[in-house]
Amino acid sequence: MTNNLSSALRPAIVMTGLFAVLLGVAYPLAMTGIGQAVFPSQANGSLVTENGKVIGSTVIGQAFTSERYFNTRPSAAGDGYSGLASSGSNLGPASQVLHDRVKEQVGRMQAAEPGKAIPADLVTTSGSGLDPDITPEAAFYQVDRIARVRRIEPEALRRLVAGTIEEPVLGFIGERHVNVFELNRRLDALGAKPVS
């Protein structure tokens, strides 16, 4: 009986070890190598550098709190846009916490822009909590505020937003969206001085 047990265990242990090495070491290393060779920017987080310093990523949202910039949607990922805490809030439609948070954000936005319909993505978080994109409507909603603060013609900002709208891949995969990081970089490139 002991002989049968050892002869049955040996292949199980060998196969477990083999698959652990294959799928736990070799495959991840191969995929990492291919990613670095074929898509190095994407494999490294789509980081954007300026003057040798990383200033952000096009695929991870970040907080723009200044009135001079377009704001992205709120984050549920820890304290701001922490990649280590990526997740949704898991608050359902009946949650009083969610209701209170959205009501507070809507109140702030209505006080700043009375009478304007507020796009939902400016008061709700994304599933990951790290979404870098907003709807074109959410970007256009913010144009008047930024035009006032930066003393820029609103129509120039509307053209800027229209020029940054990304269409669905192949015309049907995904939604129309605006990458807030790229939009704010283009906004800074306009060279307008902020109001003192």
Side-chain angles (χ1 to χ4, degrees):
M1 173 109 175
T2 311
N3 197 15
N4 287 341
L5 184 60
S6 66
S7 65
L9 277 177
R10 189 174 312 125
I13 292 170
V14 169
M15 292 306 285
T16 299
L18 175 67
F19 280 108
V21 169
L22 263 174
L23 300 176
V25 178
Y27 179 76
L29 286 175
M31 290 300 104
T32 300
I34 291 169
Q36 289 293 334
V38 180
F39 305 106
S41 174
Q42 293 89 336
N44 292 313
S46 300
L47 300 176
V48 177
T49 57
E50 204 168 85
N51 300 324
K53 180 182 173 192
V54 174
I55 59 169
S57 167
T58 59
V59 295
I60 300 291
Q62 57 192 40
F64 291 95
T65 56
S66 170
E67 290 295 306
R68 299 181 57 221
Y69 291 103
F70 287 90
N71 296 319
T72 191
R73 59 191 306 172
S75 174
D79 184 22
Y81 288 84
S82 170
L84 298 175
S86 174
S87 71
S89 66
N90 293 332
L91 300 174
S95 168
Q96 189 61 44
V97 173
L98 176 63
H99 179 268
D100 293 344
R101 189 188 71 208
V102 169
K103 186 176 179 180
E104 177 190 338
Q105 287 174 298
V106 167
R108 267 197 326 267
M109 295 179 91
Q110 284 177 334
E113 303 279 349
K116 286 178 79 173
I118 301 167
D121 56 324
L122 289 179
V123 295
T124 57
T125 62
S126 66
S128 70
L130 302 173
D131 194 350
D133 303 320
I134 57 176
T135 61
E137 294 77 24
F140 285 120
Y141 173 86
Q142 300 177 67
V143 162
D144 292 335
R145 169 183 51 86
I146 293 166
R148 272 193 314 273
V149 172
R150 288 192 179 236
R151 295 185 180 152
I152 299 174
E153 282 296 317
E155 195 49 45
L157 283 180
R158 285 188 189 84
R159 283 192 302 272
L160 180 70
V161 170
T164 60
I165 296 173
E166 297 179 36
E167 298 295 332
V169 177
L170 302 176
F172 67 93
I173 300 173
E175 301 280 331
R176 296 177 78 224
H177 63 275
V178 174
N179 185 289
V180 178
F181 178 73
E182 286 297 332
L183 177 58
N184 283 332
R185 288 188 73 211
R186 291 183 187 185
L187 177 62
D188 279 343
L190 287 178
K193 302 231 189 258
V195 176
S196 349

